[in-house]
Amino acid sequence: MTLEQSTDSSQLSILAEELRHFRRKNSFSLEMLAEASGVSRSMISKIERCEAVPSTVVLSKLAEALGVTFSKLMAPAVEREIVHIPAARQPVLRDEESGFLRRCISPVLPGRGIDWVLNTLPANAETGNFVAHRRGVEEYIFVLRGRMRVAIGEERVTLNQGDSLYFQADADHSFLNLGKTPCEYFLVIDTSKVR
């Protein structure tokens, strides 16, 4: 994954700081976080030094191990109740191999457990496998355009434009675009029940 060109260095710095912050807050050494997340110690170290841009799958593994949302790793928390986030300041990750685009559109607010993401999956592309979240984490999907298949553990669900889906995300899951055009969908990850 690469960050959109306009925010490359600043977004990498924020990600590095937030990852380091949450690792230390959890009293994790690099080795402990590597063991808990399944991400190599060297990759974690490179992310913290702004030498590597992790994939969304790697970030989801790190977020899960640290007990935070994906967005909390992408942006520092703000204390205001009214938060305007201009499009240019929304963290965006792009997977160069698949073209999968993930835009974090929710603000990071203390005490809240909602991650709201706009995803764009190119024709016939797949996200890769996201690791199971802790019990109590729920995900909601709404398909804006296109057609996709969602794999949740052993189950498969096909979604068309306008369809929505709710699932308990304590199983591995992945998303596949079944169409010949990009599939755009909202994903909401709710961790508020595990707080």
Side-chain angles (χ1 to χ4, degrees):
M1 291 266 166
T2 60
L3 297 162
E4 289 295 282
Q5 298 301 328
S6 62
T7 57
D8 264 353
S9 62
S10 64
Q11 188 59 58
L12 276 177
S13 295
I14 290 169
L15 173 60
E17 289 171 26
E18 293 304 301
L19 178 59
R20 192 176 310 106
H21 164 76
F22 286 112
R23 181 173 61 79
R24 290 177 177 160
K25 184 177 178 183
N26 283 285
S27 301
F28 279 175
S29 65
L30 287 171
E31 291 80 9
M32 292 166 72
L33 181 54
E35 186 174 323
S37 66
V39 176
S40 73
R41 179 195 182 286
S42 63
M43 174 56 89
I44 297 167
S45 179
K46 285 179 182 178
I47 296 167
E48 287 189 1
R49 293 190 320 265
C50 299
E51 294 175 0
V53 180
S55 70
T56 55
V57 171
V58 167
L59 278 183
S60 71
K61 288 179 179 181
L62 292 170
E64 187 62 29
L66 293 169
V68 299
T69 64
F70 183 92
S71 291
K72 281 190 179 180
L73 287 181
M74 297 299 298
V78 294
E79 299 292 335
R80 293 178 294 283
E81 287 298 320
I82 298 174
V83 181
H84 170 225
I85 308 171
R89 291 189 49 224
Q90 296 168 3
V92 178
L93 292 175
R94 179 187 308 274
D95 185 316
E96 292 301 322
E97 190 174 314
S98 69
F100 177 48
L101 189 73
R102 186 171 179 130
R103 176 182 292 273
C104 298
I105 54 180
S106 58
V108 179
L109 298 169
R112 307 281 190 343
I114 300 292
D115 222 356
W116 185 24
V117 183
L118 174 61
N119 292 318
T120 304
L121 196 53
N124 303 309
E126 191 168 6
T127 60
N129 191 51
F130 292 101
V131 297
H133 295 288
R134 292 161 286 152
R135 183 170 284 294
V137 175
E138 301 170 330
E139 293 194 15
Y140 301 81
I141 295 173
F142 178 80
V143 180
L144 293 168
R145 64 184 172 113
R147 187 167 182 259
M148 66 188 287
R149 184 176 68 221
V150 179
I152 306 159
E154 299 299 317
E155 301 208 28
R156 306 290 180 264
V157 179
T158 299
L159 301 175
N160 296 298
Q161 182 173 323
D163 288 354
S164 64
L165 177 71
Y166 157 84
F167 63 97
Q168 295 174 343
D170 57 353
D172 288 358
H173 46 283
S174 63
F175 310 100
L176 169 68
N177 182 347
L178 296 172
K180 296 180 181 179
T181 60
C183 180
E184 192 171 48
Y185 59 98
F186 284 119
L187 172 67
V188 174
I189 304 169
D190 182 357
T191 61
S192 60
K193 291 183 180 174
V194 295
R195 298 182 161 272

